[in-house]
């Protein structure tokens, strides 16, 4: 991206786009590091391959930290970096906006998780 003009919204889409990135960041915003299995269980319908790929992308973009424990049995925990924490207020605002729009446009209640967990 050096020396080229980039739309900030396209950049945001690159960093947080896709089906799983925003829910994972939101889930990790609680402050407690989570293991791969806990993230998968909370997301529900995600394959292990897609979860691993998404976590690698978030780590490469500096939004999450991966800490490996070389114990028996070995395990890995994920948490938000300072950069990842900086996006949480924006996600809360987006969740609030979406909740309001869903009530008006869809006449459907929101789950409430986006604004309470982030």
């Amino acid at each position: 991206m050096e020396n080229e003009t980039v739309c900030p919204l396209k950049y945001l889409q690159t960093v947080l786009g896709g089906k799983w990135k925003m829910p994972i960041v939101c889930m990790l915003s609680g402050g407690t590091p989570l293991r791969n299995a806990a993230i998968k269980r909370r997301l529900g319908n995600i394959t292990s391959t897609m979860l691993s790929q998404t976590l690698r992308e978030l780590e490469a973009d500096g939004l999450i930290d991966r800490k490996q424990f070389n114990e028996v049995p070995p395990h890995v925990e994920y948490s938000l970096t300072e950069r990842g924490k900086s996006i949480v207020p924006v996600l809360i605002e987006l969740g609030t906006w979406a909740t309001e729009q869903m009530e008006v446009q869809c006449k459907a209640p929101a789950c409430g998780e986006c604004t309470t967990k982030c």
Side-chain angles (χ1 to χ4, degrees):
M1 285 191 191
E2 268 185 51
N3 296 329
E4 73 179 74
T5 303
V6 178
C7 172
L9 294 178
K10 286 183 181 178
Y11 173 75
L12 177 64
Q13 190 174 22
T14 301
V15 175
L16 282 177
K19 184 175 181 178
W20 303 108
K21 288 182 179 180
M22 282 193 280
I24 289 171
V25 170
C26 185
M27 170 181 319
L28 291 173
S29 70
T32 304
L34 296 175
R35 294 184 184 188
N36 191 306
I39 296 170
K40 187 175 188 325
R41 189 172 38 255
R42 289 183 186 183
L43 289 175
N45 191 23
I46 186 172
T47 65
S48 296
T49 303
M50 180 56 70
L51 177 58
S52 294
Q53 177 183 335
T54 304
L55 290 169
R56 276 193 305 271
E57 290 172 3
L58 288 168
E59 183 183 14
D61 286 331
L63 296 177
I64 66 170
D65 183 44
R66 179 183 188 274
K67 185 173 182 183
Q68 185 168 338
F69 294 87
N70 294 322
E71 305 169 343
V72 176
H75 67 276
V76 174
E77 290 182 345
Y78 295 93
S79 59
L80 289 181
T81 62
E82 288 304 314
R83 183 172 189 229
K85 290 175 186 176
S86 72
I87 194 70
V88 172
V90 176
L91 292 179
I92 291 171
E93 287 298 316
L94 286 172
T96 301
W97 179 85
T99 299
E100 293 167 357
Q101 296 305 306
M102 286 172 61
E103 291 170 358
V104 172
Q105 298 293 319
C106 306
K107 309 286 191 247
C111 65
E113 292 184 24
C114 296
T115 54
T116 58
K117 289 188 178 179
C118 285

